[in-house]
Amino acid sequence: MEKKLRRESVCVQAGWTPKKGEPRVLPIYQSTTFKYDNSEQMARLFDLEDTGYFYTRLQNPTNDAVAAKIAELEGGVGAMLTSSGQAANFYAVFNICQAGDHFVTSNTIYGGTYNLFGVTMKKLGIECTFVDPEWDDKRIEAAFRPNTKCFFGETISNPGGHVFDIERFARMAHKHGVPLIVDNTFATPINCRPFEWGADIVTHSTTKYMDGHATSVGGAIVDSGNFDWNAHADKFPGLCQPDESYHGLTYADAFGKMAYITKATAQLMRDLGSIQSPQNAFLLNLGLETLHLRMRQHCANAQAVAEYLEQNERVAWVNYCGLKSNKYYELGQKYLPNGSCGVIAFGLKGTKEDAIRFMDSLKMICIVTHVADARTCVLHPASHTHRQLSDEQLREAGVAPDLIRLSVGIENVEDIIEDIQQALDASK
Ligand SMILES: *Cc1c(COP(=O)(O)O)cnc(C)c1O
C-alpha cells in the first residue's frame, strides 16, 4: 500500500502525479472535449461502463486532480468541483431531495445558503425546517418528518462564528436514517475534518480559504462514502432505484461507496452544468498548495486580534472561539484544537452608525464583500451580505444588527491591530 501523506504534504503533493516526461505542475486542460479512436469506445463512456473524459461539463482532468486533492484532504472517497459554493450546497442537497421532500438545517448558516434553502428550494417543492443548534435534542428531533432526507450545518458559521457540534448532529441525523451534510468552508480540512466526527457529506465554498487569494469563485462536494444508502432505500430512490436517464442503472448498486458523488457528477452536473472552469481549478490548486501555511497564520493573527478587541473599551462583544471567555471555546477545543479560522465577529458600543464610521476609517483593511482572504477585510452583514433578511431572520441566523465581520488576513498582525486602533480613535 502506498504511504499515506500527512495533511500538509497532501496540500502540496496530492491530485496530480505526473508520469515520465509529463509536466511537473498540474496543466490546465483547456479543452471542452477529448479524442477517442472509435465509436465503440465513446459509447461505453456514455453508458458509464468505462471511465474517461469526453466532455468538460461532466469531467475534466484539471478539475479531477484538484477534486482528488480536496477529497484526500477531507479523508473522503471522492469529490466534485462546482462553479461556486452556492452550487455545491444546492447540489449536495438536491442530489438526495426531490419535490415533496424535506430536510432539516441549522439556522446559523451563511446568508446565501439561508435564502437558497428557505426561498428558492421551496419553489422546487423541497421544504426545510430551520433549527437552532442550541435547542435540546428533543426539540431539534421534533423537526424530523418521515420525508426528511438530510441534516445540514456549518462547522464554523459565517458570519456568526458558531461552532457546530458535528458529533451530536451526526448522531441525530443517523438516528433518523439520513446523512449529515457539513459546510466546512471556514474551518477547512486543515483545522477540522467533519468525516472524523460522523458527517457523511462535506461541502465547500472554495472561494474562501482554499483559493485564499480572492481570485476565483468555486465550490466542492466531498463524499465520505460512509452512508449506507441501501439501508434506507425507501428514502433515497434517486440512489437506490434505476436511473431512467442511464438505461436503468442503480447508483448504490453500481458504484457502492462512490454512489452519491457519482450521481452528483453523472446526473446533476450533466443536467444542470454548474462546472468550475479548468482555469479556476488551476488557480484553486495553487491556493491549496499553501493552505496549511496560510491557515496557521490566519489563526495566529485572528487570536491576537480577538484578544486585542476583547480588552478594548470601545468593543461591546467579541465572538471568536479561540477566546477562553467564548461560549464556543469548549466545542472549539474539541473540533478545532489547532485553530479555527481567521474570521472574528464583534460589535462596537454605540449605534449602527458608529460601526459604519469605524469601518469607513480603516486604511489598510478594506470593506469588501468577501471573507477568508489573505488580505484583512471587513463587512457589516446586516447592511451587506444579509440585507435581504428581516430583523427576525437576522436574529435567527445569529447575525446581530451591530455585528462586524472581520476577516483577519496574513499580514503582520501589528499592522492589522494598528489599523483597527487608529480607526477606533478616528471614529470616536
Ligand atoms: C461564501 C460561502 C458560501 C457560498 O459560496 P460562493 O462560493 O460565494 O457561492 C457557502 N457557504 C459558506 C460558509 C460561505 O462562506
Side-chain angles (χ1 to χ4, degrees), residues 371-404:
V371 66
D373 174 5
R375 286 152 287 244
T376 301
C377 59
V378 73
L379 188 88
H380 184 234
S383 38
H384 305 137
T385 44
H386 287 61
R387 70 181 292 129
Q388 66 278 35
L389 301 191
S390 68
D391 279 0
E392 201 194 327
Q393 286 175 321
L394 277 175
R395 260 192 308 280
E396 269 185 13
V399 182
D402 65 338
L403 185 154
I404 296 172

PDB file of all heavy atoms in Angstrom, residues 371-404:
ATOM      1  N   VAL A 371     -14.510  37.251   2.256  1.00  0.00           N
ATOM      2  CA  VAL A 371     -14.078  36.793   3.565  1.00  0.00           C
ATOM      3  C   VAL A 371     -13.070  35.682   3.326  1.00  0.00           C
ATOM      4  O   VAL A 371     -13.046  35.097   2.244  1.00  0.00           O
ATOM      5  CB  VAL A 371     -15.327  36.295   4.367  1.00  0.00           C
ATOM      6  CG1 VAL A 371     -15.936  35.070   3.727  1.00  0.00           C
ATOM      7  CG2 VAL A 371     -15.000  36.034   5.820  1.00  0.00           C
ATOM      8  N   ALA A 372     -12.212  35.445   4.324  1.00  0.00           N
ATOM      9  CA  ALA A 372     -11.300  34.320   4.245  1.00  0.00           C
ATOM     10  C   ALA A 372     -10.297  34.493   3.103  1.00  0.00           C
ATOM     11  O   ALA A 372     -10.103  33.613   2.271  1.00  0.00           O
ATOM     12  CB  ALA A 372     -12.067  33.015   4.094  1.00  0.00           C
ATOM     13  N   ASP A 373      -9.671  35.638   3.103  1.00  0.00           N
ATOM     14  CA  ASP A 373      -8.757  36.044   2.046  1.00  0.00           C
ATOM     15  C   ASP A 373      -7.423  36.391   2.714  1.00  0.00           C
ATOM     16  O   ASP A 373      -7.392  36.749   3.889  1.00  0.00           O
ATOM     17  CB  ASP A 373      -9.431  37.270   1.384  1.00  0.00           C
ATOM     18  CG  ASP A 373      -8.596  37.967   0.332  1.00  0.00           C
ATOM     19  OD1 ASP A 373      -7.498  37.490  -0.002  1.00  0.00           O
ATOM     20  OD2 ASP A 373      -9.061  39.010  -0.151  1.00  0.00           O
ATOM     21  N   ALA A 374      -6.342  36.354   1.966  1.00  0.00           N
ATOM     22  CA  ALA A 374      -5.019  36.697   2.509  1.00  0.00           C
ATOM     23  C   ALA A 374      -4.989  38.131   3.049  1.00  0.00           C
ATOM     24  O   ALA A 374      -4.264  38.432   3.987  1.00  0.00           O
ATOM     25  CB  ALA A 374      -3.965  36.535   1.421  1.00  0.00           C
ATOM     26  N   ARG A 375      -5.796  39.016   2.437  1.00  0.00           N
ATOM     27  CA  ARG A 375      -5.876  40.422   2.858  1.00  0.00           C
ATOM     28  C   ARG A 375      -6.946  40.599   3.920  1.00  0.00           C
ATOM     29  O   ARG A 375      -8.088  40.150   3.720  1.00  0.00           O
ATOM     30  CB  ARG A 375      -6.244  41.311   1.647  1.00  0.00           C
ATOM     31  CG  ARG A 375      -5.119  41.513   0.654  1.00  0.00           C
ATOM     32  CD  ARG A 375      -5.697  41.747  -0.735  1.00  0.00           C
ATOM     33  NE  ARG A 375      -6.224  40.479  -1.234  1.00  0.00           N
ATOM     34  CZ  ARG A 375      -5.733  39.843  -2.306  1.00  0.00           C
ATOM     35  NH1 ARG A 375      -4.788  40.377  -3.009  1.00  0.00           N
ATOM     36  NH2 ARG A 375      -6.227  38.682  -2.675  1.00  0.00           N
ATOM     37  N   THR A 376      -6.625  41.265   5.003  1.00  0.00           N
ATOM     38  CA  THR A 376      -7.630  41.523   6.027  1.00  0.00           C
ATOM     39  C   THR A 376      -8.756  42.370   5.428  1.00  0.00           C
ATOM     40  O   THR A 376      -8.491  43.341   4.712  1.00  0.00           O
ATOM     41  CB  THR A 376      -6.999  42.242   7.226  1.00  0.00           C
ATOM     42  OG1 THR A 376      -5.958  41.410   7.741  1.00  0.00           O
ATOM     43  CG2 THR A 376      -8.029  42.495   8.324  1.00  0.00           C
ATOM     44  N   CYS A 377      -9.991  41.980   5.709  1.00  0.00           N
ATOM     45  CA  CYS A 377     -11.126  42.737   5.189  1.00  0.00           C
ATOM     46  C   CYS A 377     -12.267  42.717   6.198  1.00  0.00           C
ATOM     47  O   CYS A 377     -12.264  41.943   7.161  1.00  0.00           O
ATOM     48  CB  CYS A 377     -11.573  42.197   3.829  1.00  0.00           C
ATOM     49  SG  CYS A 377     -12.069  40.477   3.825  1.00  0.00           S
ATOM     50  N   VAL A 378     -13.222  43.587   5.956  1.00  0.00           N
ATOM     51  CA  VAL A 378     -14.277  43.793   6.936  1.00  0.00           C
ATOM     52  C   VAL A 378     -15.605  44.001   6.227  1.00  0.00           C
ATOM     53  O   VAL A 378     -15.639  44.446   5.075  1.00  0.00           O
ATOM     54  CB  VAL A 378     -13.883  44.994   7.844  1.00  0.00           C
ATOM     55  CG1 VAL A 378     -14.012  46.318   7.103  1.00  0.00           C
ATOM     56  CG2 VAL A 378     -14.669  45.016   9.126  1.00  0.00           C
ATOM     57  N   LEU A 379     -16.688  43.630   6.914  1.00  0.00           N
ATOM     58  CA  LEU A 379     -18.014  43.724   6.305  1.00  0.00           C
ATOM     59  C   LEU A 379     -19.057  43.867   7.418  1.00  0.00           C
ATOM     60  O   LEU A 379     -18.870  43.363   8.524  1.00  0.00           O
ATOM     61  CB  LEU A 379     -18.296  42.445   5.508  1.00  0.00           C
ATOM     62  CG  LEU A 379     -19.548  42.418   4.656  1.00  0.00           C
ATOM     63  CD1 LEU A 379     -19.241  42.979   3.268  1.00  0.00           C
ATOM     64  CD2 LEU A 379     -20.073  40.999   4.511  1.00  0.00           C
ATOM     65  N   HIS A 380     -20.136  44.551   7.132  1.00  0.00           N
ATOM     66  CA  HIS A 380     -21.247  44.667   8.075  1.00  0.00           C
ATOM     67  C   HIS A 380     -22.413  43.861   7.492  1.00  0.00           C
ATOM     68  O   HIS A 380     -23.185  44.369   6.677  1.00  0.00           O
ATOM     69  CB  HIS A 380     -21.621  46.158   8.231  1.00  0.00           C
ATOM     70  CG  HIS A 380     -22.678  46.384   9.249  1.00  0.00           C
ATOM     71  ND1 HIS A 380     -23.832  47.072   8.982  1.00  0.00           N
ATOM     72  CD2 HIS A 380     -22.763  45.996  10.544  1.00  0.00           C
ATOM     73  CE1 HIS A 380     -24.583  47.100  10.078  1.00  0.00           C
ATOM     74  NE2 HIS A 380     -23.965  46.466  11.027  1.00  0.00           N
ATOM     75  N   PRO A 381     -22.555  42.597   7.891  1.00  0.00           N
ATOM     76  CA  PRO A 381     -23.536  41.715   7.250  1.00  0.00           C
ATOM     77  C   PRO A 381     -24.951  42.288   7.203  1.00  0.00           C
ATOM     78  O   PRO A 381     -25.634  42.159   6.182  1.00  0.00           O
ATOM     79  CB  PRO A 381     -23.477  40.445   8.103  1.00  0.00           C
ATOM     80  CG  PRO A 381     -22.090  40.435   8.634  1.00  0.00           C
ATOM     81  CD  PRO A 381     -21.744  41.872   8.891  1.00  0.00           C
ATOM     82  N   ALA A 382     -25.398  42.943   8.278  1.00  0.00           N
ATOM     83  CA  ALA A 382     -26.780  43.431   8.296  1.00  0.00           C
ATOM     84  C   ALA A 382     -27.033  44.436   7.169  1.00  0.00           C
ATOM     85  O   ALA A 382     -28.158  44.521   6.663  1.00  0.00           O
ATOM     86  CB  ALA A 382     -27.108  44.052   9.645  1.00  0.00           C
ATOM     87  N   SER A 383     -25.995  45.194   6.773  1.00  0.00           N
ATOM     88  CA  SER A 383     -26.239  46.120   5.657  1.00  0.00           C
ATOM     89  C   SER A 383     -25.649  45.624   4.339  1.00  0.00           C
ATOM     90  O   SER A 383     -25.826  46.263   3.307  1.00  0.00           O
ATOM     91  CB  SER A 383     -25.739  47.533   5.982  1.00  0.00           C
ATOM     92  OG  SER A 383     -24.556  47.534   6.701  1.00  0.00           O
ATOM     93  N   HIS A 384     -24.939  44.489   4.354  1.00  0.00           N
ATOM     94  CA  HIS A 384     -24.358  43.979   3.106  1.00  0.00           C
ATOM     95  C   HIS A 384     -24.893  42.573   2.771  1.00  0.00           C
ATOM     96  O   HIS A 384     -25.997  42.467   2.267  1.00  0.00           O
ATOM     97  CB  HIS A 384     -22.822  43.992   3.189  1.00  0.00           C
ATOM     98  CG  HIS A 384     -22.263  45.357   3.529  1.00  0.00           C
ATOM     99  ND1 HIS A 384     -21.251  45.558   4.426  1.00  0.00           N
ATOM    100  CD2 HIS A 384     -22.606  46.594   3.092  1.00  0.00           C
ATOM    101  CE1 HIS A 384     -20.978  46.845   4.525  1.00  0.00           C
ATOM    102  NE2 HIS A 384     -21.787  47.502   3.734  1.00  0.00           N
ATOM    103  N   THR A 385     -24.119  41.528   3.107  1.00  0.00           N
ATOM    104  CA  THR A 385     -24.476  40.164   2.668  1.00  0.00           C
ATOM    105  C   THR A 385     -25.863  39.706   3.111  1.00  0.00           C
ATOM    106  O   THR A 385     -26.491  38.903   2.442  1.00  0.00           O
ATOM    107  CB  THR A 385     -23.491  39.119   3.234  1.00  0.00           C
ATOM    108  OG1 THR A 385     -23.250  39.405   4.600  1.00  0.00           O
ATOM    109  CG2 THR A 385     -22.214  39.084   2.442  1.00  0.00           C
ATOM    110  N   HIS A 386     -26.308  40.150   4.286  1.00  0.00           N
ATOM    111  CA  HIS A 386     -27.564  39.625   4.831  1.00  0.00           C
ATOM    112  C   HIS A 386     -28.694  40.641   4.732  1.00  0.00           C
ATOM    113  O   HIS A 386     -29.677  40.538   5.434  1.00  0.00           O
ATOM    114  CB  HIS A 386     -27.368  39.218   6.299  1.00  0.00           C
ATOM    115  CG  HIS A 386     -26.571  37.956   6.478  1.00  0.00           C
ATOM    116  ND1 HIS A 386     -25.268  37.836   6.036  1.00  0.00           N
ATOM    117  CD2 HIS A 386     -26.892  36.758   7.033  1.00  0.00           C
ATOM    118  CE1 HIS A 386     -24.828  36.616   6.335  1.00  0.00           C
ATOM    119  NE2 HIS A 386     -25.784  35.956   6.932  1.00  0.00           N
ATOM    120  N   ARG A 387     -28.555  41.660   3.882  1.00  0.00           N
ATOM    121  CA  ARG A 387     -29.544  42.746   3.915  1.00  0.00           C
ATOM    122  C   ARG A 387     -30.925  42.314   3.445  1.00  0.00           C
ATOM    123  O   ARG A 387     -31.904  42.992   3.725  1.00  0.00           O
ATOM    124  CB  ARG A 387     -29.034  44.015   3.220  1.00  0.00           C
ATOM    125  CG  ARG A 387     -28.871  44.024   1.756  1.00  0.00           C
ATOM    126  CD  ARG A 387     -28.332  45.369   1.243  1.00  0.00           C
ATOM    127  NE  ARG A 387     -29.263  46.485   1.373  1.00  0.00           N
ATOM    128  CZ  ARG A 387     -28.962  47.649   1.936  1.00  0.00           C
ATOM    129  NH1 ARG A 387     -27.773  47.858   2.435  1.00  0.00           N
ATOM    130  NH2 ARG A 387     -29.840  48.612   1.999  1.00  0.00           N
ATOM    131  N   GLN A 388     -31.001  41.168   2.778  1.00  0.00           N
ATOM    132  CA  GLN A 388     -32.313  40.693   2.328  1.00  0.00           C
ATOM    133  C   GLN A 388     -33.085  39.970   3.435  1.00  0.00           C
ATOM    134  O   GLN A 388     -34.243  39.638   3.269  1.00  0.00           O
ATOM    135  CB  GLN A 388     -32.173  39.803   1.082  1.00  0.00           C
ATOM    136  CG  GLN A 388     -31.452  38.483   1.284  1.00  0.00           C
ATOM    137  CD  GLN A 388     -29.918  38.609   1.263  1.00  0.00           C
ATOM    138  OE1 GLN A 388     -29.363  39.597   1.726  1.00  0.00           O
ATOM    139  NE2 GLN A 388     -29.245  37.612   0.743  1.00  0.00           N
ATOM    140  N   LEU A 389     -32.401  39.730   4.579  1.00  0.00           N
ATOM    141  CA  LEU A 389     -33.092  39.055   5.682  1.00  0.00           C
ATOM    142  C   LEU A 389     -33.787  40.086   6.584  1.00  0.00           C
ATOM    143  O   LEU A 389     -33.278  41.188   6.793  1.00  0.00           O
ATOM    144  CB  LEU A 389     -32.103  38.245   6.536  1.00  0.00           C
ATOM    145  CG  LEU A 389     -31.275  37.143   5.866  1.00  0.00           C
ATOM    146  CD1 LEU A 389     -30.585  36.299   6.924  1.00  0.00           C
ATOM    147  CD2 LEU A 389     -32.115  36.249   4.976  1.00  0.00           C
ATOM    148  N   SER A 390     -34.940  39.687   7.107  1.00  0.00           N
ATOM    149  CA  SER A 390     -35.639  40.560   8.052  1.00  0.00           C
ATOM    150  C   SER A 390     -34.881  40.548   9.389  1.00  0.00           C
ATOM    151  O   SER A 390     -34.023  39.700   9.617  1.00  0.00           O
ATOM    152  CB  SER A 390     -37.058  40.045   8.272  1.00  0.00           C
ATOM    153  OG  SER A 390     -36.998  38.802   8.959  1.00  0.00           O
ATOM    154  N   ASP A 391     -35.224  41.501  10.279  1.00  0.00           N
ATOM    155  CA  ASP A 391     -34.555  41.544  11.580  1.00  0.00           C
ATOM    156  C   ASP A 391     -34.705  40.223  12.322  1.00  0.00           C
ATOM    157  O   ASP A 391     -33.778  39.751  12.966  1.00  0.00           O
ATOM    158  CB  ASP A 391     -35.132  42.687  12.436  1.00  0.00           C
ATOM    159  CG  ASP A 391     -34.504  44.022  12.046  1.00  0.00           C
ATOM    160  OD1 ASP A 391     -33.647  44.024  11.132  1.00  0.00           O
ATOM    161  OD2 ASP A 391     -34.879  45.046  12.650  1.00  0.00           O
ATOM    162  N   GLU A 392     -35.895  39.628  12.188  1.00  0.00           N
ATOM    163  CA  GLU A 392     -36.116  38.371  12.889  1.00  0.00           C
ATOM    164  C   GLU A 392     -35.253  37.262  12.284  1.00  0.00           C
ATOM    165  O   GLU A 392     -34.650  36.463  13.012  1.00  0.00           O
ATOM    166  CB  GLU A 392     -37.598  38.001  12.834  1.00  0.00           C
ATOM    167  CG  GLU A 392     -37.948  37.020  13.935  1.00  0.00           C
ATOM    168  CD  GLU A 392     -39.289  36.365  13.726  1.00  0.00           C
ATOM    169  OE1 GLU A 392     -40.191  37.017  13.171  1.00  0.00           O
ATOM    170  OE2 GLU A 392     -39.406  35.194  14.124  1.00  0.00           O
ATOM    171  N   GLN A 393     -35.189  37.240  10.947  1.00  0.00           N
ATOM    172  CA  GLN A 393     -34.343  36.227  10.297  1.00  0.00           C
ATOM    173  C   GLN A 393     -32.877  36.447  10.651  1.00  0.00           C
ATOM    174  O   GLN A 393     -32.132  35.493  10.830  1.00  0.00           O
ATOM    175  CB  GLN A 393     -34.527  36.286   8.774  1.00  0.00           C
ATOM    176  CG  GLN A 393     -35.847  35.701   8.303  1.00  0.00           C
ATOM    177  CD  GLN A 393     -36.039  35.899   6.805  1.00  0.00           C
ATOM    178  OE1 GLN A 393     -35.697  36.938   6.255  1.00  0.00           O
ATOM    179  NE2 GLN A 393     -36.573  34.895   6.138  1.00  0.00           N
ATOM    180  N   LEU A 394     -32.479  37.712  10.756  1.00  0.00           N
ATOM    181  CA  LEU A 394     -31.104  38.031  11.148  1.00  0.00           C
ATOM    182  C   LEU A 394     -30.797  37.434  12.515  1.00  0.00           C
ATOM    183  O   LEU A 394     -29.773  36.769  12.712  1.00  0.00           O
ATOM    184  CB  LEU A 394     -30.896  39.550  11.219  1.00  0.00           C
ATOM    185  CG  LEU A 394     -30.582  40.293   9.927  1.00  0.00           C
ATOM    186  CD1 LEU A 394     -30.531  41.783  10.188  1.00  0.00           C
ATOM    187  CD2 LEU A 394     -29.256  39.827   9.343  1.00  0.00           C
ATOM    188  N   ARG A 395     -31.709  37.673  13.451  1.00  0.00           N
ATOM    189  CA  ARG A 395     -31.508  37.151  14.799  1.00  0.00           C
ATOM    190  C   ARG A 395     -31.443  35.637  14.754  1.00  0.00           C
ATOM    191  O   ARG A 395     -30.580  35.018  15.366  1.00  0.00           O
ATOM    192  CB  ARG A 395     -32.644  37.613  15.720  1.00  0.00           C
ATOM    193  CG  ARG A 395     -32.265  38.801  16.614  1.00  0.00           C
ATOM    194  CD  ARG A 395     -33.294  39.044  17.705  1.00  0.00           C
ATOM    195  NE  ARG A 395     -34.651  39.158  17.199  1.00  0.00           N
ATOM    196  CZ  ARG A 395     -35.153  40.274  16.646  1.00  0.00           C
ATOM    197  NH1 ARG A 395     -34.418  41.352  16.564  1.00  0.00           N
ATOM    198  NH2 ARG A 395     -36.397  40.294  16.208  1.00  0.00           N
ATOM    199  N   GLU A 396     -32.365  35.035  13.979  1.00  0.00           N
ATOM    200  CA  GLU A 396     -32.393  33.578  13.864  1.00  0.00           C
ATOM    201  C   GLU A 396     -31.093  33.040  13.290  1.00  0.00           C
ATOM    202  O   GLU A 396     -30.612  31.991  13.683  1.00  0.00           O
ATOM    203  CB  GLU A 396     -33.541  33.153  12.951  1.00  0.00           C
ATOM    204  CG  GLU A 396     -34.820  32.883  13.696  1.00  0.00           C
ATOM    205  CD  GLU A 396     -35.889  32.355  12.759  1.00  0.00           C
ATOM    206  OE1 GLU A 396     -35.565  31.983  11.623  1.00  0.00           O
ATOM    207  OE2 GLU A 396     -37.057  32.331  13.192  1.00  0.00           O
ATOM    208  N   ALA A 397     -30.538  33.762  12.333  1.00  0.00           N
ATOM    209  CA  ALA A 397     -29.294  33.309  11.697  1.00  0.00           C
ATOM    210  C   ALA A 397     -28.073  33.678  12.534  1.00  0.00           C
ATOM    211  O   ALA A 397     -26.937  33.509  12.094  1.00  0.00           O
ATOM    212  CB  ALA A 397     -29.183  33.884  10.294  1.00  0.00           C
ATOM    213  N   GLY A 398     -28.305  34.188  13.743  1.00  0.00           N
ATOM    214  CA  GLY A 398     -27.200  34.502  14.641  1.00  0.00           C
ATOM    215  C   GLY A 398     -26.415  35.722  14.199  1.00  0.00           C
ATOM    216  O   GLY A 398     -25.225  35.857  14.493  1.00  0.00           O
ATOM    217  N   VAL A 399     -27.071  36.629  13.469  1.00  0.00           N
ATOM    218  CA  VAL A 399     -26.397  37.825  12.983  1.00  0.00           C
ATOM    219  C   VAL A 399     -26.982  39.036  13.697  1.00  0.00           C
ATOM    220  O   VAL A 399     -28.074  39.512  13.357  1.00  0.00           O
ATOM    221  CB  VAL A 399     -26.585  37.989  11.456  1.00  0.00           C
ATOM    222  CG1 VAL A 399     -25.833  39.213  10.955  1.00  0.00           C
ATOM    223  CG2 VAL A 399     -26.091  36.751  10.725  1.00  0.00           C
ATOM    224  N   ALA A 400     -26.278  39.553  14.694  1.00  0.00           N
ATOM    225  CA  ALA A 400     -26.748  40.743  15.405  1.00  0.00           C
ATOM    226  C   ALA A 400     -26.661  41.934  14.462  1.00  0.00           C
ATOM    227  O   ALA A 400     -25.774  41.989  13.609  1.00  0.00           O
ATOM    228  CB  ALA A 400     -25.894  40.962  16.646  1.00  0.00           C
ATOM    229  N   PRO A 401     -27.586  42.900  14.601  1.00  0.00           N
ATOM    230  CA  PRO A 401     -27.565  44.069  13.709  1.00  0.00           C
ATOM    231  C   PRO A 401     -26.243  44.842  13.795  1.00  0.00           C
ATOM    232  O   PRO A 401     -25.837  45.481  12.825  1.00  0.00           O
ATOM    233  CB  PRO A 401     -28.724  44.923  14.222  1.00  0.00           C
ATOM    234  CG  PRO A 401     -29.597  43.996  14.998  1.00  0.00           C
ATOM    235  CD  PRO A 401     -28.725  42.918  15.531  1.00  0.00           C
ATOM    236  N   ASP A 402     -25.572  44.771  14.950  1.00  0.00           N
ATOM    237  CA  ASP A 402     -24.315  45.522  15.104  1.00  0.00           C
ATOM    238  C   ASP A 402     -23.087  44.667  14.768  1.00  0.00           C
ATOM    239  O   ASP A 402     -21.954  45.102  14.944  1.00  0.00           O
ATOM    240  CB  ASP A 402     -24.195  46.080  16.527  1.00  0.00           C
ATOM    241  CG  ASP A 402     -24.093  44.978  17.578  1.00  0.00           C
ATOM    242  OD1 ASP A 402     -24.511  43.832  17.292  1.00  0.00           O
ATOM    243  OD2 ASP A 402     -23.592  45.257  18.685  1.00  0.00           O
ATOM    244  N   LEU A 403     -23.304  43.429  14.289  1.00  0.00           N
ATOM    245  CA  LEU A 403     -22.176  42.517  14.052  1.00  0.00           C
ATOM    246  C   LEU A 403     -21.270  43.017  12.925  1.00  0.00           C
ATOM    247  O   LEU A 403     -21.730  43.298  11.815  1.00  0.00           O
ATOM    248  CB  LEU A 403     -22.718  41.114  13.717  1.00  0.00           C
ATOM    249  CG  LEU A 403     -21.731  39.954  13.553  1.00  0.00           C
ATOM    250  CD1 LEU A 403     -22.424  38.628  13.858  1.00  0.00           C
ATOM    251  CD2 LEU A 403     -21.100  39.886  12.181  1.00  0.00           C
ATOM    252  N   ILE A 404     -19.984  43.154  13.245  1.00  0.00           N
ATOM    253  CA  ILE A 404     -18.978  43.462  12.231  1.00  0.00           C
ATOM    254  C   ILE A 404     -18.196  42.170  11.992  1.00  0.00           C
ATOM    255  O   ILE A 404     -17.739  41.529  12.941  1.00  0.00           O
ATOM    256  CB  ILE A 404     -18.021  44.574  12.708  1.00  0.00           C
ATOM    257  CG1 ILE A 404     -18.797  45.886  12.908  1.00  0.00           C
ATOM    258  CG2 ILE A 404     -16.869  44.764  11.729  1.00  0.00           C
ATOM    259  CD1 ILE A 404     -17.978  46.985  13.569  1.00  0.00           C
TER     260      ILE A 404
END
